[in-house]
Amino acid sequence: MKTVCLIGKPNVGKSSIFNRLINEKKAIILSEPGITRDRLYGIVEYQGKKFNLIDTGGIHGIDDDFNKDIEMQAMLATDEADVILFVVDGLEDLSESDKKIRNMLKKSGKEVIVVVNKLDNVKRNENIYNYYELGFPTVLGVSAEHNLGFKELLDILTKDIEVITNEDEDVLKFCFIGRPNVGKSSLINALLNEERVIVSDVAGTTRDAIDTKFTYNQKDYIVIDTAGMRKKGRIYETIEKYSLLRSMKAIDRSDVCVLVIDAETGIIEHDKHILSYALDAGKGVVICVNKWDTVNNPDVAIKKWKLELETYFKFVPYINFVFTSAKTKKRLATLMPEVIKAYENNRKEIKTSLLNDVISEAVSLHEAPSYKGKRLKIYFVSQTGMKPPKFTFNVNNKNLVHFSYERYLENKLREAFDLEGTPIILQFKNKSDK
């Protein structure tokens, strides 16, 4: 998808604009400058069209370590973006920081739209002409606080985006996601049995997303390699969070995501962070520990690894693990069956009568706890969606659903039906609601 990035000095309203565009409160909004230090990612949907959006920390122009880090994050985001929204404060004159950012963006060669925020009345709208001084042809006035000017902005951002439908709709598409240099490209080459993707020991050599169709057991599949870093340099190789945007692009187009973990370096917190994006997108998931050829005494190590994986990823006990070596192709045959299982379970449809039998038995075994003399009653349950499976419970009062009882119901559904490899959604609806 197209990628749009928000850039600007602190406290001009980038986070508020980000939240308006993605239509949810994801960015932290405070008046203290410099709150958004790391980049935030979201997907904007407008009239059937979608694009990636990145929010960045404000660029101060003050020479200290904190602000250098913010500026570095902004530069990384700018490098990945197709269009840059240069956000300025419509209540202030242009500052040296604005001019510094202008100079940086001119060098980038990217399309830049100047977004003048906080223009919420006729008098303030007159200020917009001051910002043509920055030298960019497109200048738009908005008010994030009052939701003004966003239709015009979205019209411009989506004018060259096509609504793509039915593209290989029935073909299973999966991607490898994970930190740089964990062996994603090597795994693809091993699956395809040919050097179709560039493989290097240098983190970030895969420059563009690559889709490859191949045949497995007489069926067609598409594997998506995630785009890599566009520039070389120590900064680009050491910031793990930069891999998130590349992963998100692949996640959005995939049915199943394979999170690749490096057996040499082990599990780190960032692996969990990347996995959360696949889960939030409702995709089927497999966890693959790669570079298994580097492990000493693998028969003993696999028990230790499984325990560590189960502990670290205990919040997703339904995800299966495979241990492979792209280099030697050992245990590679264990990967595709798990990908196919996650795909099929992610699209699974369950009969309403079976669902109600399982939930009725679950309630009879363990009633919901009472709260202030009231108890949750479940009247009816049905499947109301898939990819991932979504189950809607008609109840007397959805406010009586305790998270522990919701987890209990989820476990009972997973015990009764094979739902390995996919998240599921439980929705509770009052019987009286339309």
Side-chain angles (χ1 to χ4, degrees):
M1 289 189 295
K2 181 178 187 176
T3 299
V4 178
C5 173
L6 291 157
I7 294 285
K9 66 185 182 185
N11 215 26
V12 294
K14 295 187 300 300
S15 295
S16 298
I17 291 172
F18 177 86
N19 288 341
R20 282 288 184 194
L21 288 171
I22 67 168
N23 202 27
E24 61 179 277
K25 291 184 179 179
K26 188 172 183 180
I28 301 168
I29 302 170
L30 290 174
S31 58
E32 183 181 349
I35 291 297
T36 309
R37 181 171 181 174
D38 293 329
R39 287 154 291 147
L40 287 171
Y41 305 95
I43 294 175
V44 180
E45 297 189 33
Y46 177 70
Q47 294 183 349
K49 302 176 179 182
K50 295 195 290 187
F51 61 87
N52 290 308
L53 183 66
I54 316 174
D55 186 19
T56 61
I59 300 173
H60 287 255
I62 302 169
D63 191 19
D64 62 40
D65 291 338
F66 181 82
N67 293 316
K68 281 181 180 177
D69 186 60
I70 292 175
E71 185 168 347
M72 183 169 61
Q73 292 275 355
M75 288 173 67
L76 290 168
T78 303
D79 181 50
E80 184 64 26
D82 301 299
V83 179
I84 299 165
L85 301 183
F86 180 10
V87 183
V88 295
D89 190 330
L91 304 183
E92 296 180 1
D93 293 331
L94 289 174
S95 65
E96 287 304 311
S97 292
D98 291 322
K99 292 173 183 176
K100 177 184 176 183
I101 296 167
R102 183 264 315 274
N103 296 338
M104 183 181 82
L105 297 183
K106 287 278 188 184
K107 291 177 184 176
S108 74
K110 301 291 180 73
E111 179 186 353
V112 176
I113 297 171
V114 178
V115 179
V116 187
N117 192 25
K118 306 180 185 178
L119 299 185
D120 50 13
N121 60 48
V122 176
K123 187 175 181 181
R124 288 178 178 177
N125 284 341
E126 295 174 0
N127 295 343
I128 196 170
Y129 300 105
N130 300 331
Y131 299 94
Y132 281 96
E133 182 187 331
L134 291 167
F136 298 107
T138 307
V139 181
L140 285 176
V142 303
S143 171
E145 186 177 352
H146 296 91
N147 196 21
L148 300 173
F150 284 89
K151 184 183 182 301
E152 293 81 358
L153 177 59
L154 285 164
D155 285 340
I156 291 174
L157 291 174
T158 59
K159 65 183 178 182
D160 57 347
I161 299 176
E162 294 182 7
V163 180
I164 301 174
T165 56
N166 301 321
E167 181 188 5
D168 292 310
E169 189 175 353
D170 297 325
V171 179
L172 191 166
K173 295 182 285 294
F174 69 100
C175 68
F176 292 97
I177 58 176
R179 292 178 279 131
N181 211 29
V182 293
K184 298 187 294 293
S185 296
S186 298
L187 279 166
I188 291 176
N189 285 339
L191 274 177
L192 301 175
N193 204 26
E194 59 180 289
E195 294 294 317
R196 191 168 305 198
V197 179
I198 298 169
V199 178
S200 167
D201 290 334
V202 179
T205 52
T206 308
R207 295 195 172 214
D208 299 301
I210 301 169
D211 289 15
T212 307
K213 186 175 280 190
F214 69 101
T215 303
Y216 170 82
N217 284 354
Q218 299 180 328
K219 272 191 155 186
D220 287 338
Y221 298 88
I222 293 175
V223 60
I224 303 170
D225 192 19
T226 50
M229 300 177 183
R230 297 180 186 275
K231 288 184 179 179
K232 294 179 181 179
R234 184 179 58 82
I235 288 173
Y236 287 80
E237 291 171 13
T238 55
I239 294 193
E240 297 289 358
K241 287 186 181 177
Y242 192 53
S243 62
L244 277 176
L245 179 63
R246 302 194 308 278
S247 298
M248 283 185 64
K249 287 182 174 181
I251 286 167
D252 181 65
R253 296 173 49 236
S254 299
D255 300 301
V256 177
C257 303
V258 180
L259 174 66
V260 184
I261 294 171
D262 189 333
E264 283 189 290
T265 58
I267 311 166
I268 67 168
E269 187 68 22
H270 189 56
D271 294 322
K272 190 188 292 184
H273 201 178
I274 293 174
L275 175 63
S276 69
Y277 280 88
L279 296 174
D280 289 346
K283 306 297 182 177
V285 176
V286 178
I287 293 177
C288 173
V289 181
N290 190 33
K291 304 186 184 180
W292 198 241
D293 56 288
T294 65
V295 174
N296 295 322
N297 200 350
D299 292 335
V300 175
I302 200 166
K303 295 177 182 176
K304 182 182 175 184
W305 263 95
K306 281 182 177 178
L307 182 61
E308 188 176 350
L309 287 163
E310 287 168 2
T311 302
Y312 201 81
F313 295 105
K314 61 184 178 182
F315 63 100
V316 282
Y318 53 85
I319 293 179
N320 291 331
F321 314 118
V322 296
F323 301 83
T324 66
S325 167
K327 187 175 182 180
T328 66
K329 298 188 182 178
K330 191 173 182 180
R331 301 179 63 91
L332 192 65
T334 62
L335 178 59
M336 283 305 296
E338 292 298 338
V339 169
I340 294 166
K341 181 194 287 185
Y343 171 78
E344 290 174 347
N345 290 344
N346 188 253
R347 302 161 68 94
K348 179 167 284 186
E349 294 184 78
I350 301 169
K351 287 183 178 180
T352 303
S353 58
L354 295 177
L355 280 174
N356 283 277
D357 287 346
V358 168
I359 295 303
S360 295
E361 184 180 350
V363 172
S364 66
L365 289 171
H366 176 44
E367 277 193 317
S370 62
Y371 177 72
K372 292 184 178 179
K374 296 180 180 179
R375 193 184 300 275
L376 176 73
K377 290 183 181 179
I378 300 173
Y379 300 115
F380 185 75
V381 59
S382 60
Q383 184 172 353
T384 52
M386 60 180 192
K387 295 192 295 186
K390 179 180 178 181
F391 305 101
T392 299
F393 291 72
N394 284 273
V395 299
N396 59 331
N397 186 346
K398 61 186 177 184
N399 295 322
L400 295 174
V401 181
H402 192 270
F403 75 89
S404 61
Y405 198 70
E406 182 176 350
R407 179 59 58 89
Y408 167 74
L409 294 172
E410 178 179 341
N411 290 339
K412 286 298 180 183
L413 287 171
R414 289 189 179 278
E415 285 173 17
F417 309 105
D418 183 5
L419 293 166
E420 285 187 336
T422 180
I424 64 174
I425 298 170
L426 271 59
Q427 177 179 287
F428 295 87
K429 180 178 169 184
N430 292 340
K431 190 178 180 181
S432 58
D433 291 347
K434 291 182 180 180

